[in-house]
Amino acid sequence: MTKDLELLKRKQKGKQKLDMYKSTFMNHIKDSVWLDLEESDGILENLDSRFLGMITEDELINSDESFIESDLMREIFMKASESSESYVFGDDFYNCGIFKCLTKNALTNAFVIAESDSGNTVFILDKDYSFYFRINFNDSDHSDTPNKIDIQKTS
C-alpha cells in the first residue's frame, strides 16, 4: 500500500514537468518511446547493484564539439549495431520516467539534450546493461569547467 501511495505522489509531482520532459527527449530522438514510472522503476531497480564497484572512465570535452570527439562515446557508437537499444533519461526520471530508443540516436543527440534538459544531465543505459553514461553540460556559469561537457562511462 505504501509503495502505491509513493508512486502516486511521484506521478503527481511529475505531472508538472512531464510535458516539457517528454518534449526535450522526443524532439531530439525521434524514435524514443516514453516508459511510465512503473516500467521505468522495473528497469532501473537493479542499476546501482549492476554498476557498483565497476571501473568508471571520465572525459571532459568542449561544449561545441560533437559526440564523435569523445573517445568513450565513439567507441560505443562504433560497436553498436543499427538495432541496439538503450534507455535515455534526465534528472527528472524519478518523477517522469525514462525513454527507450536506438543507442546510436541516444549517443548522437546526448549533448543537445544535456544542454536543453533542466538539470543539464543525460543518462544513457544500454538495454543489456553493458554500459552506462552520465553526460553533464557545464554552462558558462560553472565555476570549475565552464562550457564543457563532462562524460562518465561505467561498464
Side-chain angles (χ1 to χ4, degrees), residues 5-50:
L5 182 59
E6 181 63 31
L7 184 64
L8 285 174
K9 286 181 185 178
R10 289 171 50 207
K11 282 182 179 181
Q12 189 61 34
K13 274 182 145 177
K15 260 186 184 181
Q16 300 164 2
K17 298 178 180 180
L18 189 57
D19 287 340
M20 179 65 86
Y21 182 73
K22 281 182 172 180
S23 70
T24 298
F25 285 87
M26 296 176 112
N27 286 342
H28 296 291
I29 304 176
K30 300 300 182 205
D31 74 308
S32 62
V33 176
W34 175 70
L35 307 177
D36 64 21
L37 289 184
E38 292 91 339
E39 192 169 357
S40 298
D41 286 353
I43 291 165
L44 298 177
E45 70 183 326
N46 296 320
L47 181 62
D48 289 338
S49 63
R50 289 179 189 255

mmCIF file of all heavy atoms in Angstrom, residues 5-50:
data_model
loop_
_atom_site.group_PDB
_atom_site.id
_atom_site.type_symbol
_atom_site.label_atom_id
_atom_site.label_comp_id
_atom_site.label_asym_id
_atom_site.label_seq_id
_atom_site.Cartn_x
_atom_site.Cartn_y
_atom_site.Cartn_z
ATOM 1 N N LEU A 5 1.138 4.363 -2.799
ATOM 2 C CA LEU A 5 0.967 5.764 -2.421
ATOM 3 C C LEU A 5 2.178 6.588 -2.860
ATOM 4 O O LEU A 5 2.026 7.686 -3.386
ATOM 5 C CB LEU A 5 0.756 5.888 -0.907
ATOM 6 C CG LEU A 5 0.513 7.284 -0.371
ATOM 7 C CD1 LEU A 5 -0.722 7.907 -1.013
ATOM 8 C CD2 LEU A 5 0.347 7.250 1.141
ATOM 9 N N GLU A 6 3.374 6.035 -2.664
ATOM 10 C CA GLU A 6 4.602 6.715 -3.091
ATOM 11 C C GLU A 6 4.611 6.923 -4.609
ATOM 12 O O GLU A 6 4.985 7.986 -5.097
ATOM 13 C CB GLU A 6 5.829 5.905 -2.654
ATOM 14 C CG GLU A 6 7.149 6.530 -3.027
ATOM 15 C CD GLU A 6 7.391 7.882 -2.371
ATOM 16 O OE1 GLU A 6 6.899 8.116 -1.249
ATOM 17 O OE2 GLU A 6 8.076 8.717 -2.995
ATOM 18 N N LEU A 7 4.181 5.921 -5.348
ATOM 19 C CA LEU A 7 4.118 6.023 -6.808
ATOM 20 C C LEU A 7 3.132 7.123 -7.225
ATOM 21 O O LEU A 7 3.428 7.917 -8.113
ATOM 22 C CB LEU A 7 3.723 4.682 -7.417
ATOM 23 C CG LEU A 7 3.717 4.608 -8.932
ATOM 24 C CD1 LEU A 7 5.121 4.818 -9.497
ATOM 25 C CD2 LEU A 7 3.170 3.259 -9.391
ATOM 26 N N LEU A 8 1.979 7.187 -6.567
ATOM 27 C CA LEU A 8 1.001 8.236 -6.873
ATOM 28 C C LEU A 8 1.557 9.624 -6.575
ATOM 29 O O LEU A 8 1.340 10.561 -7.349
ATOM 30 C CB LEU A 8 -0.281 8.013 -6.070
ATOM 31 C CG LEU A 8 -1.179 6.891 -6.559
ATOM 32 C CD1 LEU A 8 -2.342 6.665 -5.585
ATOM 33 C CD2 LEU A 8 -1.710 7.193 -7.943
ATOM 34 N N LYS A 9 2.297 9.765 -5.495
ATOM 35 C CA LYS A 9 2.922 11.051 -5.157
ATOM 36 C C LYS A 9 3.935 11.457 -6.223
ATOM 37 O O LYS A 9 3.992 12.610 -6.632
ATOM 38 C CB LYS A 9 3.623 10.969 -3.793
ATOM 39 C CG LYS A 9 2.702 10.969 -2.622
ATOM 40 C CD LYS A 9 3.523 10.899 -1.325
ATOM 41 C CE LYS A 9 2.655 10.778 -0.117
ATOM 42 N NZ LYS A 9 3.451 10.675 1.123
ATOM 43 N N ARG A 10 4.742 10.499 -6.659
ATOM 44 C CA ARG A 10 5.735 10.777 -7.694
ATOM 45 C C ARG A 10 5.069 11.176 -9.008
ATOM 46 O O ARG A 10 5.514 12.110 -9.679
ATOM 47 C CB ARG A 10 6.623 9.546 -7.906
ATOM 48 C CG ARG A 10 7.570 9.292 -6.751
ATOM 49 C CD ARG A 10 8.300 7.973 -6.858
ATOM 50 N NE ARG A 10 8.914 7.761 -8.147
ATOM 51 C CZ ARG A 10 9.140 6.549 -8.665
ATOM 52 N NH1 ARG A 10 8.810 5.452 -8.006
ATOM 53 N NH2 ARG A 10 9.706 6.429 -9.844
ATOM 54 N N LYS A 11 4.004 10.469 -9.365
ATOM 55 C CA LYS A 11 3.276 10.807 -10.589
ATOM 56 C C LYS A 11 2.710 12.226 -10.504
ATOM 57 O O LYS A 11 2.751 12.977 -11.477
ATOM 58 C CB LYS A 11 2.144 9.811 -10.834
ATOM 59 C CG LYS A 11 2.602 8.498 -11.394
ATOM 60 C CD LYS A 11 1.415 7.590 -11.658
ATOM 61 C CE LYS A 11 1.858 6.275 -12.249
ATOM 62 N NZ LYS A 11 0.718 5.393 -12.544
ATOM 63 N N GLN A 12 2.173 12.570 -9.340
ATOM 64 C CA GLN A 12 1.611 13.906 -9.163
ATOM 65 C C GLN A 12 2.699 14.978 -9.296
ATOM 66 O O GLN A 12 2.507 15.990 -9.950
ATOM 67 C CB GLN A 12 0.920 14.011 -7.795
ATOM 68 C CG GLN A 12 0.129 15.259 -7.604
ATOM 69 C CD GLN A 12 -1.012 15.397 -8.608
ATOM 70 O OE1 GLN A 12 -1.625 14.427 -9.018
ATOM 71 N NE2 GLN A 12 -1.276 16.612 -9.023
ATOM 72 N N LYS A 13 3.857 14.735 -8.690
ATOM 73 C CA LYS A 13 4.983 15.667 -8.818
ATOM 74 C C LYS A 13 5.443 15.772 -10.266
ATOM 75 O O LYS A 13 5.767 16.841 -10.760
ATOM 76 C CB LYS A 13 6.165 15.205 -7.963
ATOM 77 C CG LYS A 13 6.150 15.640 -6.547
ATOM 78 C CD LYS A 13 7.408 15.151 -5.876
ATOM 79 C CE LYS A 13 7.895 16.133 -4.874
ATOM 80 N NZ LYS A 13 9.071 15.654 -4.150
ATOM 81 N N GLY A 14 5.479 14.652 -10.940
ATOM 82 C CA GLY A 14 5.953 14.607 -12.320
ATOM 83 C C GLY A 14 5.012 15.268 -13.315
ATOM 84 O O GLY A 14 5.442 15.709 -14.376
ATOM 85 N N LYS A 15 3.717 15.329 -12.975
ATOM 86 C CA LYS A 15 2.728 15.932 -13.884
ATOM 87 C C LYS A 15 3.122 17.330 -14.327
ATOM 88 O O LYS A 15 2.931 17.704 -15.478
ATOM 89 C CB LYS A 15 1.369 16.017 -13.182
ATOM 90 C CG LYS A 15 0.416 14.964 -13.550
ATOM 91 C CD LYS A 15 -0.924 15.260 -12.895
ATOM 92 C CE LYS A 15 -1.886 14.149 -13.176
ATOM 93 N NZ LYS A 15 -3.194 14.404 -12.580
ATOM 94 N N GLN A 16 3.679 18.098 -13.415
ATOM 95 C CA GLN A 16 4.052 19.484 -13.708
ATOM 96 C C GLN A 16 5.194 19.579 -14.720
ATOM 97 O O GLN A 16 5.280 20.541 -15.466
ATOM 98 C CB GLN A 16 4.441 20.215 -12.426
ATOM 99 C CG GLN A 16 3.331 20.264 -11.415
ATOM 100 C CD GLN A 16 3.833 20.638 -10.029
ATOM 101 O OE1 GLN A 16 5.016 20.889 -9.835
ATOM 102 N NE2 GLN A 16 2.931 20.656 -9.072
ATOM 103 N N LYS A 17 6.049 18.587 -14.748
ATOM 104 C CA LYS A 17 7.232 18.626 -15.610
ATOM 105 C C LYS A 17 7.145 17.695 -16.813
ATOM 106 O O LYS A 17 7.964 17.788 -17.717
ATOM 107 C CB LYS A 17 8.469 18.216 -14.800
ATOM 108 C CG LYS A 17 8.793 19.116 -13.655
ATOM 109 C CD LYS A 17 10.003 18.593 -12.904
ATOM 110 C CE LYS A 17 10.356 19.488 -11.748
ATOM 111 N NZ LYS A 17 11.524 19.001 -11.026
ATOM 112 N N LEU A 18 6.179 16.795 -16.819
ATOM 113 C CA LEU A 18 6.167 15.700 -17.784
ATOM 114 C C LEU A 18 6.129 16.162 -19.237
ATOM 115 O O LEU A 18 6.884 15.643 -20.068
ATOM 116 C CB LEU A 18 5.011 14.739 -17.493
ATOM 117 C CG LEU A 18 5.011 13.445 -18.290
ATOM 118 C CD1 LEU A 18 6.314 12.667 -18.101
ATOM 119 C CD2 LEU A 18 3.821 12.587 -17.882
ATOM 120 N N ASP A 19 5.292 17.119 -19.570
ATOM 121 C CA ASP A 19 5.209 17.564 -20.966
ATOM 122 C C ASP A 19 6.540 18.132 -21.455
ATOM 123 O O ASP A 19 6.992 17.815 -22.554
ATOM 124 C CB ASP A 19 4.097 18.601 -21.141
ATOM 125 C CG ASP A 19 2.713 17.972 -21.065
ATOM 126 O OD1 ASP A 19 2.597 16.743 -21.259
ATOM 127 O OD2 ASP A 19 1.745 18.722 -20.810
ATOM 128 N N MET A 20 7.159 18.965 -20.648
ATOM 129 C CA MET A 20 8.445 19.554 -21.021
ATOM 130 C C MET A 20 9.528 18.470 -21.096
ATOM 131 O O MET A 20 10.352 18.455 -22.008
ATOM 132 C CB MET A 20 8.854 20.634 -20.019
ATOM 133 C CG MET A 20 10.186 21.268 -20.335
ATOM 134 S SD MET A 20 10.183 22.172 -21.873
ATOM 135 C CE MET A 20 9.594 23.725 -21.292
ATOM 136 N N TYR A 21 9.520 17.565 -20.134
ATOM 137 C CA TYR A 21 10.476 16.465 -20.087
ATOM 138 C C TYR A 21 10.355 15.605 -21.349
ATOM 139 O O TYR A 21 11.351 15.312 -22.017
ATOM 140 C CB TYR A 21 10.212 15.641 -18.825
ATOM 141 C CG TYR A 21 11.146 14.484 -18.584
ATOM 142 C CD1 TYR A 21 12.458 14.691 -18.163
ATOM 143 C CD2 TYR A 21 10.712 13.176 -18.727
ATOM 144 C CE1 TYR A 21 13.309 13.627 -17.904
ATOM 145 C CE2 TYR A 21 11.551 12.105 -18.469
ATOM 146 C CZ TYR A 21 12.845 12.338 -18.055
ATOM 147 O OH TYR A 21 13.684 11.279 -17.801
ATOM 148 N N LYS A 22 9.128 15.207 -21.685
ATOM 149 C CA LYS A 22 8.908 14.388 -22.875
ATOM 150 C C LYS A 22 9.358 15.109 -24.138
ATOM 151 O O LYS A 22 10.013 14.526 -24.998
ATOM 152 C CB LYS A 22 7.429 14.016 -23.009
ATOM 153 C CG LYS A 22 6.976 12.891 -22.142
ATOM 154 C CD LYS A 22 5.497 12.627 -22.439
ATOM 155 C CE LYS A 22 4.980 11.408 -21.764
ATOM 156 N NZ LYS A 22 3.545 11.174 -22.075
ATOM 157 N N SER A 23 8.997 16.385 -24.248
ATOM 158 C CA SER A 23 9.346 17.103 -25.481
ATOM 159 C C SER A 23 10.855 17.274 -25.621
ATOM 160 O O SER A 23 11.372 17.224 -26.733
ATOM 161 C CB SER A 23 8.630 18.447 -25.564
ATOM 162 O OG SER A 23 9.127 19.352 -24.624
ATOM 163 N N THR A 24 11.566 17.452 -24.517
ATOM 164 C CA THR A 24 13.025 17.572 -24.574
ATOM 165 C C THR A 24 13.641 16.350 -25.244
ATOM 166 O O THR A 24 14.502 16.466 -26.106
ATOM 167 C CB THR A 24 13.623 17.757 -23.169
ATOM 168 O OG1 THR A 24 13.120 18.970 -22.615
ATOM 169 C CG2 THR A 24 15.132 17.798 -23.196
ATOM 170 N N PHE A 25 13.186 15.176 -24.864
ATOM 171 C CA PHE A 25 13.758 13.939 -25.404
ATOM 172 C C PHE A 25 13.160 13.581 -26.763
ATOM 173 O O PHE A 25 13.885 13.256 -27.701
ATOM 174 C CB PHE A 25 13.580 12.791 -24.414
ATOM 175 C CG PHE A 25 14.511 12.884 -23.253
ATOM 176 C CD1 PHE A 25 14.177 13.611 -22.122
ATOM 177 C CD2 PHE A 25 15.759 12.293 -23.302
ATOM 178 C CE1 PHE A 25 15.053 13.734 -21.057
ATOM 179 C CE2 PHE A 25 16.648 12.402 -22.249
ATOM 180 C CZ PHE A 25 16.288 13.131 -21.123
ATOM 181 N N MET A 26 11.859 13.648 -26.876
ATOM 182 C CA MET A 26 11.197 13.192 -28.101
ATOM 183 C C MET A 26 11.440 14.129 -29.293
ATOM 184 O O MET A 26 11.402 13.684 -30.431
ATOM 185 C CB MET A 26 9.717 12.983 -27.843
ATOM 186 C CG MET A 26 9.484 11.862 -26.828
ATOM 187 S SD MET A 26 7.767 11.638 -26.400
ATOM 188 C CE MET A 26 7.492 10.040 -27.143
ATOM 189 N N ASN A 27 11.717 15.384 -29.042
ATOM 190 C CA ASN A 27 12.037 16.304 -30.134
ATOM 191 C C ASN A 27 13.423 16.044 -30.713
ATOM 192 O O ASN A 27 13.681 16.339 -31.870
ATOM 193 C CB ASN A 27 11.946 17.762 -29.686
ATOM 194 C CG ASN A 27 10.523 18.223 -29.509
ATOM 195 O OD1 ASN A 27 9.589 17.610 -30.013
ATOM 196 N ND2 ASN A 27 10.344 19.297 -28.763
ATOM 197 N N HIS A 28 14.317 15.516 -29.900
ATOM 198 C CA HIS A 28 15.690 15.278 -30.353
ATOM 199 C C HIS A 28 15.947 13.831 -30.749
ATOM 200 O O HIS A 28 16.831 13.561 -31.562
ATOM 201 C CB HIS A 28 16.685 15.709 -29.271
ATOM 202 C CG HIS A 28 16.643 17.171 -28.995
ATOM 203 N ND1 HIS A 28 17.074 18.116 -29.906
ATOM 204 C CD2 HIS A 28 16.196 17.867 -27.930
ATOM 205 C CE1 HIS A 28 16.907 19.324 -29.412
ATOM 206 N NE2 HIS A 28 16.368 19.204 -28.217
ATOM 207 N N ILE A 29 15.213 12.911 -30.173
ATOM 208 C CA ILE A 29 15.378 11.488 -30.505
ATOM 209 C C ILE A 29 14.035 10.997 -31.029
ATOM 210 O O ILE A 29 13.148 10.627 -30.261
ATOM 211 C CB ILE A 29 15.837 10.658 -29.283
ATOM 212 C CG1 ILE A 29 17.122 11.231 -28.694
ATOM 213 C CG2 ILE A 29 16.043 9.209 -29.698
ATOM 214 C CD1 ILE A 29 17.583 10.533 -27.427
ATOM 215 N N LYS A 30 13.900 11.017 -32.328
ATOM 216 C CA LYS A 30 12.610 10.759 -32.975
ATOM 217 C C LYS A 30 12.056 9.362 -32.698
ATOM 218 O O LYS A 30 10.850 9.170 -32.661
ATOM 219 C CB LYS A 30 12.713 10.977 -34.492
ATOM 220 C CG LYS A 30 13.125 12.390 -34.870
ATOM 221 C CD LYS A 30 12.143 13.420 -34.368
ATOM 222 C CE LYS A 30 12.576 14.805 -34.814
ATOM 223 N NZ LYS A 30 12.107 15.863 -33.977
ATOM 224 N N ASP A 31 12.910 8.381 -32.498
ATOM 225 C CA ASP A 31 12.418 7.020 -32.268
ATOM 226 C C ASP A 31 12.189 6.717 -30.791
ATOM 227 O O ASP A 31 11.859 5.591 -30.438
ATOM 228 C CB ASP A 31 13.393 6.004 -32.869
ATOM 229 C CG ASP A 31 14.673 5.859 -32.061
ATOM 230 O OD1 ASP A 31 15.312 6.897 -31.773
ATOM 231 O OD2 ASP A 31 15.037 4.719 -31.728
ATOM 232 N N SER A 32 12.328 7.709 -29.921
ATOM 233 C CA SER A 32 12.203 7.440 -28.489
ATOM 234 C C SER A 32 10.759 7.132 -28.104
ATOM 235 O O SER A 32 9.816 7.698 -28.641
ATOM 236 C CB SER A 32 12.739 8.613 -27.664
ATOM 237 O OG SER A 32 11.999 9.781 -27.903
ATOM 238 N N VAL A 33 10.635 6.202 -27.170
ATOM 239 C CA VAL A 33 9.341 5.792 -26.647
ATOM 240 C C VAL A 33 9.377 6.010 -25.139
ATOM 241 O O VAL A 33 10.273 5.499 -24.453
ATOM 242 C CB VAL A 33 9.075 4.295 -26.953
ATOM 243 C CG1 VAL A 33 7.773 3.829 -26.325
ATOM 244 C CG2 VAL A 33 9.091 4.041 -28.445
ATOM 245 N N TRP A 34 8.424 6.774 -24.638
ATOM 246 C CA TRP A 34 8.374 7.066 -23.211
ATOM 247 C C TRP A 34 7.861 5.848 -22.453
ATOM 248 O O TRP A 34 6.906 5.182 -22.868
ATOM 249 C CB TRP A 34 7.455 8.266 -22.952
ATOM 250 C CG TRP A 34 7.252 8.561 -21.501
ATOM 251 C CD1 TRP A 34 8.164 9.066 -20.636
ATOM 252 C CD2 TRP A 34 6.056 8.365 -20.747
ATOM 253 N NE1 TRP A 34 7.609 9.215 -19.386
ATOM 254 C CE2 TRP A 34 6.312 8.793 -19.437
ATOM 255 C CE3 TRP A 34 4.793 7.885 -21.058
ATOM 256 C CZ2 TRP A 34 5.355 8.736 -18.419
ATOM 257 C CZ3 TRP A 34 3.832 7.832 -20.064
ATOM 258 C CH2 TRP A 34 4.124 8.255 -18.769
ATOM 259 N N LEU A 35 8.512 5.539 -21.334
ATOM 260 C CA LEU A 35 8.096 4.443 -20.455
ATOM 261 C C LEU A 35 7.620 5.058 -19.138
ATOM 262 O O LEU A 35 8.327 5.860 -18.529
ATOM 263 C CB LEU A 35 9.264 3.490 -20.208
ATOM 264 C CG LEU A 35 9.962 2.943 -21.460
ATOM 265 C CD1 LEU A 35 11.149 2.077 -21.082
ATOM 266 C CD2 LEU A 35 8.984 2.172 -22.341
ATOM 267 N N ASP A 36 6.456 4.655 -18.689
ATOM 268 C CA ASP A 36 5.890 5.241 -17.464
ATOM 269 C C ASP A 36 6.696 4.837 -16.233
ATOM 270 O O ASP A 36 7.660 4.061 -16.330
ATOM 271 C CB ASP A 36 4.419 4.883 -17.320
ATOM 272 C CG ASP A 36 4.172 3.391 -17.152
ATOM 273 O OD1 ASP A 36 5.087 2.646 -16.748
ATOM 274 O OD2 ASP A 36 3.040 2.954 -17.428
ATOM 275 N N LEU A 37 6.311 5.375 -15.088
ATOM 276 C CA LEU A 37 7.092 5.154 -13.862
ATOM 277 C C LEU A 37 7.187 3.687 -13.469
ATOM 278 O O LEU A 37 8.242 3.236 -13.024
ATOM 279 C CB LEU A 37 6.510 5.959 -12.705
ATOM 280 C CG LEU A 37 6.698 7.456 -12.766
ATOM 281 C CD1 LEU A 37 6.144 8.118 -11.499
ATOM 282 C CD2 LEU A 37 8.144 7.834 -12.954
ATOM 283 N N GLU A 38 6.104 2.938 -13.611
ATOM 284 C CA GLU A 38 6.147 1.529 -13.225
ATOM 285 C C GLU A 38 7.171 0.768 -14.050
ATOM 286 O O GLU A 38 7.994 0.029 -13.514
ATOM 287 C CB GLU A 38 4.757 0.873 -13.376
ATOM 288 C CG GLU A 38 3.725 1.375 -12.409
ATOM 289 C CD GLU A 38 2.906 2.559 -12.943
ATOM 290 O OE1 GLU A 38 3.362 3.259 -13.888
ATOM 291 O OE2 GLU A 38 1.824 2.796 -12.398
ATOM 292 N N GLU A 39 7.139 0.960 -15.362
ATOM 293 C CA GLU A 39 8.087 0.268 -16.232
ATOM 294 C C GLU A 39 9.506 0.789 -16.013
ATOM 295 O O GLU A 39 10.469 0.014 -15.965
ATOM 296 C CB GLU A 39 7.680 0.430 -17.701
ATOM 297 C CG GLU A 39 8.439 -0.497 -18.617
ATOM 298 C CD GLU A 39 7.870 -0.546 -20.026
ATOM 299 O OE1 GLU A 39 6.834 0.091 -20.303
ATOM 300 O OE2 GLU A 39 8.482 -1.240 -20.858
ATOM 301 N N SER A 40 9.652 2.094 -15.846
ATOM 302 C CA SER A 40 10.968 2.705 -15.590
ATOM 303 C C SER A 40 11.575 2.163 -14.308
ATOM 304 O O SER A 40 12.765 1.821 -14.268
ATOM 305 C CB SER A 40 10.839 4.226 -15.496
ATOM 306 O OG SER A 40 10.381 4.767 -16.698
ATOM 307 N N ASP A 41 10.773 2.091 -13.258
ATOM 308 C CA ASP A 41 11.267 1.564 -11.977
ATOM 309 C C ASP A 41 11.771 0.135 -12.121
ATOM 310 O O ASP A 41 12.804 -0.235 -11.560
ATOM 311 C CB ASP A 41 10.179 1.622 -10.911
ATOM 312 C CG ASP A 41 9.900 3.017 -10.402
ATOM 313 O OD1 ASP A 41 10.644 3.957 -10.770
ATOM 314 O OD2 ASP A 41 8.921 3.185 -9.639
ATOM 315 N N GLY A 42 11.041 -0.686 -12.874
ATOM 316 C CA GLY A 42 11.452 -2.069 -13.085
ATOM 317 C C GLY A 42 12.793 -2.176 -13.794
ATOM 318 O O GLY A 42 13.610 -3.043 -13.490
ATOM 319 N N ILE A 43 13.036 -1.281 -14.728
ATOM 320 C CA ILE A 43 14.295 -1.289 -15.489
ATOM 321 C C ILE A 43 15.450 -0.781 -14.632
ATOM 322 O O ILE A 43 16.556 -1.321 -14.673
ATOM 323 C CB ILE A 43 14.144 -0.432 -16.763
ATOM 324 C CG1 ILE A 43 13.186 -1.137 -17.723
ATOM 325 C CG2 ILE A 43 15.496 -0.171 -17.417
ATOM 326 C CD1 ILE A 43 12.663 -0.265 -18.837
ATOM 327 N N LEU A 44 15.190 0.244 -13.839
ATOM 328 C CA LEU A 44 16.269 0.897 -13.087
ATOM 329 C C LEU A 44 16.498 0.331 -11.686
ATOM 330 O O LEU A 44 17.475 0.687 -11.038
ATOM 331 C CB LEU A 44 15.975 2.401 -12.976
ATOM 332 C CG LEU A 44 15.911 3.155 -14.303
ATOM 333 C CD1 LEU A 44 15.536 4.610 -14.058
ATOM 334 C CD2 LEU A 44 17.214 3.056 -15.057
ATOM 335 N N GLU A 45 15.641 -0.579 -11.215
ATOM 336 C CA GLU A 45 15.740 -1.028 -9.830
ATOM 337 C C GLU A 45 17.073 -1.697 -9.486
ATOM 338 O O GLU A 45 17.534 -1.601 -8.355
ATOM 339 C CB GLU A 45 14.568 -1.927 -9.460
ATOM 340 C CG GLU A 45 14.569 -3.289 -10.112
ATOM 341 C CD GLU A 45 13.328 -4.086 -9.750
ATOM 342 O OE1 GLU A 45 12.834 -3.935 -8.614
ATOM 343 O OE2 GLU A 45 12.861 -4.843 -10.602
ATOM 344 N N ASN A 46 17.698 -2.353 -10.419
ATOM 345 C CA ASN A 46 18.970 -3.030 -10.150
ATOM 346 C C ASN A 46 20.178 -2.292 -10.695
ATOM 347 O O ASN A 46 21.275 -2.827 -10.702
ATOM 348 C CB ASN A 46 18.942 -4.448 -10.729
ATOM 349 C CG ASN A 46 17.898 -5.304 -10.066
ATOM 350 O OD1 ASN A 46 17.710 -5.225 -8.856
ATOM 351 N ND2 ASN A 46 17.197 -6.094 -10.850
ATOM 352 N N LEU A 47 19.964 -1.074 -11.148
ATOM 353 C CA LEU A 47 21.047 -0.321 -11.780
ATOM 354 C C LEU A 47 22.244 -0.147 -10.856
ATOM 355 O O LEU A 47 23.373 -0.420 -11.235
ATOM 356 C CB LEU A 47 20.538 1.050 -12.243
ATOM 357 C CG LEU A 47 21.551 1.941 -12.938
ATOM 358 C CD1 LEU A 47 22.040 1.286 -14.217
ATOM 359 C CD2 LEU A 47 20.931 3.291 -13.251
ATOM 360 N N ASP A 48 22.021 0.303 -9.630
ATOM 361 C CA ASP A 48 23.127 0.533 -8.708
ATOM 362 C C ASP A 48 23.921 -0.739 -8.433
ATOM 363 O O ASP A 48 25.146 -0.733 -8.425
ATOM 364 C CB ASP A 48 22.632 1.119 -7.385
ATOM 365 C CG ASP A 48 22.174 2.551 -7.523
ATOM 366 O OD1 ASP A 48 22.601 3.218 -8.483
ATOM 367 O OD2 ASP A 48 21.392 3.002 -6.683
ATOM 368 N N SER A 49 23.236 -1.846 -8.223
ATOM 369 C CA SER A 49 23.953 -3.085 -7.906
ATOM 370 C C SER A 49 24.719 -3.623 -9.113
ATOM 371 O O SER A 49 25.772 -4.228 -8.966
ATOM 372 C CB SER A 49 22.983 -4.143 -7.372
ATOM 373 O OG SER A 49 22.027 -4.478 -8.356
ATOM 374 N N ARG A 50 24.231 -3.373 -10.318
ATOM 375 C CA ARG A 50 24.916 -3.860 -11.516
ATOM 376 C C ARG A 50 26.216 -3.096 -11.783
ATOM 377 O O ARG A 50 27.154 -3.641 -12.325
ATOM 378 C CB ARG A 50 24.014 -3.766 -12.733
ATOM 379 C CG ARG A 50 22.887 -4.747 -12.719
ATOM 380 C CD ARG A 50 22.037 -4.566 -13.961
ATOM 381 N NE ARG A 50 20.834 -5.343 -13.884
ATOM 382 C CZ ARG A 50 20.641 -6.463 -14.568
ATOM 383 N NH1 ARG A 50 21.559 -6.924 -15.366
ATOM 384 N NH2 ARG A 50 19.513 -7.121 -14.446
#
